[in-house]
Amino acid sequence: MRCQEYGYGLGRPEGIFVLRYQSAGPLEFGAIARQDFLHQLYWSPDGALSALHGTEARFLGPGEAFWAQRAVSHEVRAADRQTVYRICLREVPSALAELRAGPVVVPEETGRLVRGLARSGVAEADALADRARIMAALVPYSFAGDGPPGAPASGRGAGHALRVARALAHDPSDTRQLAAWAAQLHISAKTLQRDFQREFGMSYTRWRTLLRLSAARALLGTEPVTRIARRVGYASPSAFVAAFAKEYGRTPARYARDGAGA
């Protein structure tokens, strides 16, 4: 694993500490760890995160991060060959004051600012100004309303597919079919299917399969296949193993044993 550290205004309330992780294998943060001095935000721009707080487990997509206030026990996992940013703060963003731990929206511009802090040569004054913009943009995730606040728009779809995608990213085991999601959004199933094609270039069923398998990769080597299959929405371990082998050319056990880069 490779970890790069970037600190600005450290020791002051307005400071920010950014750690950028990259690994050939799965990443695991905390193992039910707690940090009594710093609030933490975990974000990955290129894959799903698995986050555990108490008995509640969630998956988060690239447009979201996992927030944990200090002294809150939590565990975060990421898949192989995935970049993860771990942001440590002494202050709580105003919109997250009532959220002890849970998913938050990361708008596209906020993600750009985070990536910009994780590089050398950034002046501290500029970094702290960007930190203030990041703090102001972070809001809790919600499926209600017209869509999650700050959700990035592709300009291709109408936003229906993005709403469903974000909800499923949190819970890939959700068994609702396309028609049920369409009914919840008060649109036709055909309209929602077209929006998935415009937004992601694939059908709802194909997108859901890729999501489930991506989420499963974040858990390989840490949980048994039977539990992983259930957590990511497969009716049986055999169905999960078959789908995984079809997509990656190896069974989950062999994938974890041989290493992601093999």
Side-chain angles (χ1 to χ4, degrees):
M1 180 179 70
R2 184 175 65 183
C3 176
Q4 298 169 304
E5 301 178 355
Y6 304 88
Y8 308 96
L10 298 182
R12 307 203 303 266
E14 69 275 16
I16 184 171
F17 186 46
V18 180
L19 299 96
R20 183 177 186 267
Y21 297 87
Q22 286 184 299
S23 175
L27 293 167
E28 186 171 357
F29 301 95
I32 314 298
R34 54 183 283 169
Q35 166 58 265
D36 290 335
F37 302 103
L38 297 170
H39 311 291
Q40 298 183 77
L41 187 75
Y42 301 84
W43 174 64
S44 176
D46 51 15
L49 293 177
S50 168
L52 179 65
H53 163 54
T55 60
E56 183 179 9
R58 283 181 178 265
F59 293 94
L60 303 103
E64 296 132 8
F66 181 75
W67 164 258
Q69 291 197 24
R70 60 172 144 239
V72 174
S73 296
H74 61 278
E75 178 180 315
V76 176
R77 296 172 183 166
D80 55 279
R81 290 174 289 180
Q82 189 168 335
T83 302
V84 178
Y85 293 87
R86 186 181 186 183
I87 302 164
C88 302
L89 301 163
R90 292 186 179 275
E91 294 182 328
V92 177
S94 57
L96 305 184
E98 303 301 320
L99 181 66
R100 296 187 70 245
V104 301
V105 175
V106 178
E108 186 174 357
E109 173 63 12
T110 302
R112 186 190 69 78
L113 292 174
V114 170
R115 289 192 294 267
L117 292 179
R119 58 185 177 86
S120 58
V122 179
E124 184 165 274
D126 294 336
L128 294 180
D130 287 346
R131 176 258 190 203
R133 287 192 281 271
I134 292 170
M135 297 278 283
L138 294 173
V139 294
Y141 169 86
S142 173
F143 184 76
D146 294 331
S154 69
R156 295 188 299 270
H160 305 305
L162 281 174
R163 291 183 62 192
V164 174
R166 286 180 176 275
L168 282 173
H170 290 180
D171 182 13
S173 67
D174 194 311
T175 59
R176 278 177 285 185
Q177 298 298 316
L178 183 75
W181 286 111
Q184 181 174 341
L185 294 169
H186 306 292
I187 58 176
S188 71
K190 185 178 292 187
T191 296
L192 182 56
Q193 186 73 278
R194 283 199 300 264
D195 205 47
F196 262 91
Q197 289 288 351
R198 284 194 294 264
E199 197 67 58
F200 301 109
M202 65 186 75
S203 69
Y204 165 79
T205 300
R206 174 61 177 162
W207 185 91
R208 185 180 62 179
T209 295
L210 293 178
L211 167 74
R212 288 176 169 179
L213 296 178
S214 175
R217 286 173 49 219
L219 302 176
L220 287 180
T222 63
E223 296 187 9
V225 167
T226 52
R227 177 169 167 77
I228 294 175
R230 185 172 65 253
R231 282 192 61 184
V232 301
Y234 282 91
S236 68
S238 60
F240 164 60
V241 170
F244 193 97
K246 181 180 180 181
E247 188 66 33
Y248 298 115
R250 286 174 284 176
T251 65
R254 184 180 173 188
Y255 188 95
R257 183 177 64 249
D258 293 349

